[in-house]
Amino acid sequence: MQHNLVSDPDIFFRAPQSFNRFSDRQFLRYCLGGTLYMPSTRAVMDKIVARQMPDVLSMVMCFEDAIRAEDLGAGEANVIQQLGYLAEQVRTGALSNDDVPLIFLRVRSTEQFHSFAEKLTPELADILTGFVFPKFYSNNALDYLDLLASLNRKFDTPLYGMPILEGRAIAFRETRNAELTALLGILRDYHQYILNIRVGGTDFSSFFGVRRGIGSSIYDILPVRDALADILNFFGRAEEDYIVSAPVWEYFLAYKRDDLEKVMQIDLNRALRTNTAILNDAIDGLLREVALDKANGFTGKTVIHPSHLRYVNAMQAVTREEYEDACQILDTSGGVIKSTKSNKMNEINPHRSWARRISAMADAYGVVEDERKMLALFRAGLEPQMSAAE
């Protein structure tokens, strides 16, 4: 698999690298990009095999909020059937591992995780990338993580965990620091199994009875912004070495291919700064929020509609100026040096952790000359696709 596939190779100054679930974890954790959530009752593997969803490189089949409690049995049976079908395609050579998206299962609870784990076989485990743990608290973290570690030993294949920090103890200020401190201490012992830390912007909003509008971002909701800032303060520190993914964007609207031709004439960076209309309210809001995600240190984003994947992944690409600054910093032992474009100071030691991140993002999403080339990445994958909610 490869992000931001386009027919015109000249779009890239440096093309993105390919990856699959067996890629080195240090690289793979940057590769999730837009992660599509869908109910566990949905049958999509035939579309994956037929390559009808080329932008779906990272997906979550959800046993929790996306389905009703009474549909859990049907969801489990469907997931087992879907994974089995995909495993058979790989076994027969109809698909290679490079054709299989990163597939995660969002479990419903620690109890359901334990019961479902009993149904896993080596063939199914070899298709999975891992599990998503909702309502991840310090009082249930070890139940999730100990079983995850045992599954890695049992099947002798990498199976990663992605905790979702979304509970009341994190949302509410008086308990937040103690809870985050406890979680960070627990997760340090399982660091090798953690691919991403995920956050629940919608759950946080619900605790305060608010919801961001289509014209605003999650960062405009003050209590949610504060919770996200503190999560990044704990897990976004360079020395802790975690990747934190941004919360879901909830809105989607249809668009036409002709609309995108107009977009190509826009200065994207200026439009995002000045709230100039770009495509439509939903996509414009998504792009502005992704720009803020990146500025604050989030990598990738939860997505509920396939049409959003192209935009999220295109926005993860690195500009040539960023890439050359990063290379200059990583290739210099210390001190201060003028940037390649002679428009800024590169202070080697303070900027080194930023440079490592930019280098990893360049590997995963590619390097484009500037934001105008980034717009060209929006062109691909524009055929109408079914929503995860449909």
Side-chain angles (χ1 to χ4, degrees):
M1 295 180 292
Q2 186 177 344
H3 281 300
N4 294 327
L5 281 175
V6 290
S7 57
D8 180 7
D10 291 337
I11 287 176
F12 287 107
F13 172 73
R14 181 172 179 266
Q17 297 179 13
S18 61
F19 63 94
N20 62 39
R21 67 173 294 265
F22 298 105
S23 297
D24 180 77
R25 174 186 162 277
Q26 288 294 106
F27 172 52
L28 187 64
R29 63 200 186 128
Y30 284 94
C31 293
L32 274 72
T35 299
L36 180 67
Y37 273 57
M38 65 183 64
S40 56
T41 51
R42 177 68 46 76
V44 297
M45 296 310 174
D46 56 339
K47 296 182 177 65
I48 298 295
V49 172
R51 295 173 174 80
Q52 294 174 1
M53 302 177 75
D55 290 329
V56 179
L57 305 186
S58 170
M59 59 184 285
V60 174
M61 303 184 77
C62 180
F63 294 126
E64 199 219 7
D65 288 344
I67 64 171
R68 302 177 302 174
E70 55 265 37
D71 292 332
L72 179 58
E76 290 186 341
N78 179 65
V79 165
I80 290 172
Q81 190 277 328
Q82 293 281 294
L83 295 179
Y85 169 70
L86 206 58
E88 178 66 13
Q89 299 301 304
V90 174
R91 188 189 67 80
T92 61
L95 285 183
S96 73
N97 284 314
D98 288 339
D99 299 317
V100 179
L102 306 179
I103 302 172
F104 301 87
L105 305 181
R106 174 169 163 162
V107 300
R108 193 174 188 89
S109 63
T110 56
E111 294 79 13
Q112 191 262 336
F113 184 29
H114 278 267
S115 66
F116 185 81
E118 294 296 321
K119 303 173 185 178
L120 280 179
T121 65
E123 292 76 22
L124 299 182
D126 221 31
I127 287 294
L128 276 177
T129 305
F131 301 90
V132 178
F133 304 136
K135 313 298 187 291
F136 192 79
Y137 290 103
S138 57
N139 62 9
N140 65 16
L142 288 175
D143 288 337
Y144 283 125
L145 297 171
D146 284 341
L147 179 54
L148 178 67
S150 71
L151 291 176
N152 275 266
R153 294 189 295 268
K154 176 180 179 180
F155 294 113
D156 193 27
T157 192
L159 290 168
Y160 297 106
M162 297 201 297
I164 309 180
L165 308 187
E166 57 183 348
R168 291 175 179 271
I170 299 173
F172 298 153
R173 183 177 180 180
E174 66 270 20
T175 53
R176 185 183 304 148
N177 282 354
E179 180 67 7
L180 289 175
T181 298
L183 284 171
L184 185 58
I186 292 169
L187 283 166
R188 282 173 179 152
D189 291 334
Y190 298 85
H191 191 273
Q192 70 195 84
Y193 301 118
I194 305 302
L195 202 58
N196 274 190
I197 302 293
R198 307 193 80 83
V199 296
T202 301
D203 279 57
F204 287 151
S205 298
S206 74
F207 298 137
F208 302 98
V210 296
R211 182 179 187 179
R212 68 187 181 281
I214 199 169
S216 60
S217 83
I218 198 70
Y219 304 100
D220 294 316
I221 309 299
L222 298 182
V224 177
R225 182 196 65 187
D226 289 348
L228 296 178
D230 284 345
I231 289 171
L232 286 172
N233 194 293
F234 277 77
F235 291 92
R237 301 176 190 181
E239 62 267 24
E240 295 297 345
D241 196 33
Y242 290 101
I243 301 300
V244 186
S245 178
V248 65
W249 174 253
E250 300 174 343
Y251 297 94
F252 51 88
L253 291 174
Y255 49 79
K256 298 180 293 184
R257 185 177 293 273
D258 288 348
D259 295 334
L260 206 62
E261 300 304 319
K262 302 173 186 176
V263 173
M264 299 303 295
Q265 310 306 315
I266 291 174
D267 182 328
L268 179 63
N269 195 38
R270 182 184 298 274
L272 293 176
R273 289 199 315 269
T274 59
N275 284 336
T276 302
I278 302 173
L279 190 56
N280 63 46
D281 288 345
I283 298 300
D284 292 3
L286 171 66
L287 294 176
R288 292 190 182 102
E289 188 162 288
V290 172
L292 290 169
D293 294 339
K294 289 177 62 181
N296 285 290
F298 288 107
T299 301
K301 195 171 186 66
T302 298
V303 170
I304 59 169
H305 197 281
S307 65
H308 289 174
L309 293 168
R310 173 59 47 173
Y311 298 100
V312 171
N313 293 332
M315 291 285 286
Q316 307 302 304
V318 172
T319 65
R320 181 175 178 178
E321 181 175 344
E322 291 175 314
Y323 179 68
E324 289 181 342
D325 282 345
C327 290
Q328 184 187 60
I329 291 164
L330 294 175
D331 290 341
T332 306
S333 60
V336 178
I337 190 170
K338 185 187 295 184
S339 69
T340 303
K341 284 189 173 293
S342 299
N343 62 355
K344 70 177 75 67
M345 171 190 74
N346 284 334
E347 194 169 354
I348 305 307
N349 291 329
H351 289 147
R352 199 178 298 279
S353 59
W354 170 86
R356 291 193 187 100
R357 181 173 180 272
I358 291 297
S359 179
M361 296 290 284
D363 289 342
Y365 302 96
V367 180
V368 293
E369 187 67 35
D370 52 31
E371 282 83 1
R372 289 189 181 275
K373 287 290 187 181
M374 195 177 290
L375 285 166
L377 297 176
F378 294 172
R379 287 179 176 272
L382 291 180
E383 282 68 28
Q385 300 186 61
M386 185 166 56
S387 163
E390 292 169 341

